[in-house]
Amino acid sequence: MELFWTRISQALPFILVFLSVSTIRVTNVEGSHVLDLEYQSVLAVTVKQDHRTRFHFQPRRNWINGPMFYNGIYHLFYQYNPFGAVWGNIVWGHSVSTDLINWKQLKPALTPSKPFDKYGCWSGSATILPGNKPIILYTGVVDESQRTEVQNYAIPANLSDPYLQDWIKPNDNPIIVADPGVNTTAFRDPTTAWMGRDGRWRTVIGSRRSHRGIAYLYKSKDFKKWVKAKHPLHSAPKTGNWECPDFFPVPVQGTNGLDVSLVEKSDVKCVLKVSLDTTRYDYYTIGKYYPKNDRYMPDSNFVDGMNGLRLDYGNFYASKTFFDQRKKRRILWGWTNESDTRMDDVEKGWAGIQSLPRKVWLDPSGKQLLQWPIEELETLRGHKVHLKSQKLKKGNLVEVKGITPAQADVEVVFSFPSLDKAEPFNPSWAKFDAQELCSRKGSTVEGGLGPFGILTLASKNLEEFTPVFFRIFKMKNNFKVLLCSDASRSSLKKELYKPSFAGFVDVDLSSKKLSLRSLIDHSVVESFGQGGKVCITSRVYPTLAVFNDAHLFAFNNGTEAISVETLDAWSMKQPLIY
Ligand SMILES: *[C@@H]1O[C@H](CO)[C@@H](O)[C@H](O)[C@H]1NC(C)=O
Ligand SMILES: *[C@@H]1O[C@H](CO)[C@@H](O)[C@H](O)[C@H]1NC(C)=O
Ligand SMILES: *[C@@H]1O[C@H](CO)[C@@H](O)[C@H](O)[C@H]1NC(C)=O
Ligand SMILES: *[C@H]1O[C@@H](CO)[C@H](O)[C@@H](O)[C@@H]1NC(C)=O
């Protein structure tokens, strides 16, 4: 469920510690995950390579779902099952990197061992205390039947060890237990803490009361004794359990990031992200934090819950950001789960990857966040092909040859001569969300302006393909732009989850251009529409379009001819992730 970051500042050689698998423990405690007692401790003997991603982070094997970062070295902590490819036996996996691209896996940072975490070391966050001392706040599960969740802390055993391999869980834990009235089985995932101007530390914990989602605020003078604030930081009715809250400031102008301690500044906006257990997606609002009464209020044009903005309209959950001191940016990372079956996962020997790390900042309009893959990823770009001014009439396909389409980075700018042929938006569709609309208006359904876009992971004769495309609808006074990443034809294999993920892009079409970037990595297509306004991550498992048999095309199935103004595609190199 989550990510926690910090960073360390001097780059030193890595030490790799192999994990001992001799002490298999089975825990029957369940968070929001389906339990699979049969497979949660089946260790992968071989790791299947067909759909294994190459430049997305994943451990060597088994199940993961989430990351952290500290001091010149990036630390990634993630919920990890060292013993199987399904959820269970959850520990804090720990990997380190100096560039966010190449990773080495260390031994787990936290494993269940003490009365206060015996049944699970669940998500949490890292905070750097004054004196450059990292501390982890995490959720421990203390009993099996009630599944009582408490908040604990852990500190590095040796601050001189640049990898912070050993962590101590002191015996004065837990430091936060649920107050009366707080649901003890929905009380988890403490955020990175920050110190207010009043000198008190604050952390936010996800919860629910009946159907109301809640972000409780806890305060402390010494980081040990915590008191629940009078009001939650924020809450919203009919949104269900809030998991993995993330709260951070963004400057009103520019693309830089800010440390979380600046939430109180008057010239910043604040972002509250929550992972909704009900829908299993990550939603956010943008607003202000009012230090006087310790509350966050979304600006009036934002909605809490399922109808709100999403960080990603595809497989993306339990995300977390951290402030990267080194480059003064805020980086977002989410957990991207599998869309195949649990049996497939057991057979593959692994399940779950991290999305690509993305820089996040406020759109100049203030209406949303923008996201873009961190610039370091461009160092993986190898051989390049370039197309320009390629006209595509209805039904035209152009193949992008000369790169490795199963492992590639593609940037395209499409242009169109006019908006006249955009299909009128039927008012009866207003009840559909973007995903539903995309499932009805897929790439094979002829349109006026669009569908146009790219076909990723396509087999030679198009038995399989994952199209990422735009479709433009005419409304009464404006236009509606849909970006789809449609897995419905991605694989001949039947028993897969193949959603038609989609989002609406808030864009001014006066330039008559739309842009798209997709990063393709064997079983994942991660797309960024219009400079990161809409991001969609799809997991797909082609049977024919694998390795050198995968193809990449640009296409148009709308009656209006469009033009591929420029298309740049690169083969992507494989970093060291082990
Ligand atoms: C702490 O880490 C440093 C650097 O790796 C090492 O030299 C030292 O021996 C460690 N101290 C202990 C007590 O392990
Ligand atoms: C407490 O949380 C659990 C887990 O989300 C939920 O099943 C239960 O209904 C909640 N109880 C109340 C009173 O809201
Ligand atoms: C374009 O539409 C035709 C007709 O429906 C269909 O056969 C073809 O597969 C479509 N192309 C794409 C890329 O979906
Ligand atoms: C990822 O897997 C798919 C298919 O099994 C489920 O439908 C999603 O709910 C799941 N996502 C998360 C965040 O668990």
Side-chain angles (χ1 to χ4, degrees):
M1 296 177 337
E2 180 148 318
L3 340 177
F4 327 98
W5 301 85
T6 325
R7 47 162 296 192
I8 300 196
S9 60
Q10 60 287 37
L12 288 145
F14 295 103
I15 298 162
L16 183 60
V17 178
F18 285 92
L19 182 65
S20 154
V21 292
S22 56
T23 50
I24 296 182
R25 256 189 81 248
V26 178
T27 308
N28 297 337
V29 178
E30 170 188 17
S32 309
H33 296 281
V34 186
L35 267 193
D36 197 327
L37 296 178
E38 193 177 351
Y39 292 112
Q40 69 179 4
S41 301
V42 174
L43 196 62
V45 177
T46 56
V47 174
K48 247 184 120 182
Q49 300 298 327
D50 285 20
H51 295 119
R52 193 167 168 92
T53 59
R54 300 303 199 271
F55 60 90
H56 282 74
F57 175 85
Q58 57 176 195
R60 290 187 297 275
R61 56 170 80 172
N62 301 339
W63 193 94
I64 70 152
N65 81 347
M68 150 180 149
F69 181 76
Y70 167 84
N71 241 358
I73 290 176
Y74 296 92
H75 289 244
L76 178 54
F77 296 115
Y78 43 93
Q79 298 273 288
Y80 178 54
N81 179 356
F83 307 125
V86 301
W87 193 84
N89 312 306
I90 291 303
V91 306
W92 273 49
H94 186 187
S95 293
V96 287
S97 172
T98 52
D99 57 9
L100 292 165
I101 302 290
N102 298 281
W103 291 94
K104 295 200 181 193
Q105 189 172 355
L106 306 176
K107 66 181 175 184
L110 305 174
T111 57
S113 66
K114 301 256 180 127
F116 50 80
D117 67 8
K118 193 163 168 215
Y119 295 95
C121 291
W122 289 4
S123 290
S125 306
T127 302
I128 314 296
L129 299 180
N132 204 25
K133 292 184 179 143
I135 184 165
I136 285 173
L137 281 177
Y138 71 100
T139 300
V141 182
V142 300
D143 57 51
E144 194 158 14
S145 53
Q146 305 288 321
R147 214 196 73 197
T148 306
E149 296 162 13
V150 299
Q151 318 311 322
N152 302 319
Y153 77 104
I155 49 174
N158 181 359
L159 279 173
S160 310
D161 170 10
Y163 313 108
L164 306 178
Q165 295 168 86
D166 296 305
W167 290 78
I168 298 170
K169 303 181 294 184
N171 286 329
D172 54 354
N173 275 307
I175 49 171
I176 306 179
V177 298
D179 290 76
V182 172
N183 187 335
T184 52
T185 54
F187 184 58
R188 54 181 176 263
D189 310 338
T191 63
T192 295
W194 75 95
M195 189 188 271
R197 283 191 201 147
D198 60 3
R200 285 184 168 72
W201 289 99
R202 286 160 172 80
T203 185
V204 177
I205 300 173
S207 188
R208 65 185 283 180
R209 194 168 56 230
S210 172
H211 298 295
R212 175 176 283 271
I214 303 180
Y216 285 118
L217 183 72
Y218 276 77
K219 298 203 270 187
S220 174
K221 278 189 208 154
D222 59 2
F223 224 91
K224 286 273 180 70
K225 188 175 180 309
W226 292 84
V227 177
K228 184 155 77 68
K230 190 158 164 227
H231 306 286
L233 180 74
H234 189 52
S235 73
K238 301 196 184 77
T239 52
N241 198 26
W242 287 6
E243 295 192 296
C244 304
D246 192 24
F247 185 55
F248 59 89
V250 281
V252 175
Q253 276 179 344
T255 68
N256 278 359
L258 296 172
D259 184 82
V260 64
S261 59
L262 300 176
V263 285
E264 286 190 20
K265 277 186 75 192
S266 58
D267 59 344
V268 304
K269 289 278 180 182
C270 291
V271 177
L272 178 66
K273 186 277 307 182
V274 296
S275 302
L276 292 192
D277 204 0
T278 319
T279 61
R280 312 287 290 163
Y281 297 119
D282 281 10
Y283 302 81
Y284 71 94
T285 55
I286 299 172
K288 286 298 274 184
Y289 169 66
Y290 299 93
K292 266 225 174 79
N293 53 1
D294 261 326
R295 289 178 109 157
Y296 162 78
M297 277 279 288
D299 289 348
S300 57
N301 45 330
F302 290 92
V303 210
D304 283 302
M306 294 82 174
N307 298 319
L309 294 175
R310 265 160 67 178
L311 285 177
D312 189 296
Y313 290 82
N315 290 59
F316 188 92
Y317 194 68
S319 65
K320 197 121 187 165
T321 61
F322 72 94
F323 175 59
D324 178 8
Q325 286 280 352
R326 181 189 276 171
K327 293 199 175 178
K328 305 281 174 249
R329 59 188 169 175
R330 187 160 281 275
I331 296 178
L332 166 74
W333 222 339
W335 165 52
T336 291
N337 72 338
E338 302 298 311
S339 289
D340 55 2
T341 67
R342 276 120 89 44
M343 278 315 300
D344 291 329
D345 294 343
V346 172
E347 198 191 325
K348 296 200 310 264
W350 55 273
I353 61 170
Q354 290 305 125
S355 72
L356 296 171
R358 307 168 180 180
K359 176 172 162 166
V360 285
W361 68 99
L362 187 66
D363 183 80
S365 72
K367 291 198 282 185
Q368 64 168 114
L369 294 176
L370 295 177
Q371 300 171 43
W372 201 245
I374 54 163
E375 60 191 10
E376 286 87 336
L377 279 158
E378 290 159 32
T379 63
L380 295 175
R381 287 173 168 176
H383 188 67
K384 173 181 173 177
V385 293
H386 175 74
L387 303 182
K388 72 171 209 247
S389 311
Q390 186 98 35
K391 200 159 176 191
L392 294 181
K393 291 197 195 129
K394 184 177 149 255
N396 284 173
L397 266 184
V398 54
E399 180 160 7
V400 181
K401 288 189 173 156
I403 52 141
T404 54
Q407 198 173 309
D409 185 356
V410 192
E411 285 196 70
V412 207
V413 177
F414 299 99
S415 65
F416 31 90
S418 97
L419 290 155
D420 297 345
K421 290 192 186 152
E423 182 181 355
F425 188 82
N426 185 327
S428 73
W429 300 338
K431 60 176 180 286
F432 302 142
D433 63 6
Q435 185 170 336
E436 178 66 30
L437 194 57
C438 174
S439 71
R440 286 157 195 261
K441 294 268 174 189
S443 61
T444 61
V445 180
E446 181 185 304
L449 189 47
F452 60 79
I454 58 174
L455 299 186
T456 69
L457 297 171
S459 58
K460 191 162 159 232
N461 302 314
L462 302 187
E463 297 91 339
E464 296 178 329
F465 58 89
T466 302
V468 185
F469 62 94
F470 291 104
R471 191 186 271 273
I472 301 162
F473 298 99
K474 197 183 292 170
M475 310 275 286
K476 223 175 174 173
N477 304 313
N478 56 354
F479 294 88
K480 217 175 176 55
V481 179
L482 183 70
L483 177 65
C484 291
S485 175
D486 186 3
S488 62
R489 292 178 174 76
S490 58
S491 177
L492 293 176
K493 203 167 160 198
K494 292 244 157 40
E495 53 293 341
L496 297 170
Y497 174 55
K498 299 177 188 170
S500 303
F501 285 135
F504 291 114
V505 195
D506 182 52
V507 52
D508 168 14
L509 291 173
S510 57
S511 68
K512 302 196 185 70
K513 282 184 192 172
L514 282 170
S515 68
L516 174 67
R517 178 172 178 194
S518 292
L519 291 114
I520 304 154
D521 193 5
H522 301 274
S523 61
V524 59
V525 179
E526 202 169 328
S527 300
F528 300 82
Q530 197 62 18
K533 288 194 159 187
V534 167
C535 309
I536 313 181
T537 303
S538 292
R539 299 301 311 275
V540 293
Y541 310 85
T543 60
L544 304 170
V546 295
F547 302 117
N548 294 331
D549 295 322
H551 298 260
L552 174 70
F553 300 91
F555 81 100
N556 178 22
N557 251 348
T559 50
E560 178 70 275
I562 59 107
S563 168
V564 172
E565 284 231 324
T566 56
L567 183 152
D568 294 297
W570 294 263
S571 294
M572 288 293 271
K573 291 178 239 168
Q574 178 174 359
L576 280 177
I577 301 176
Y578 60 93

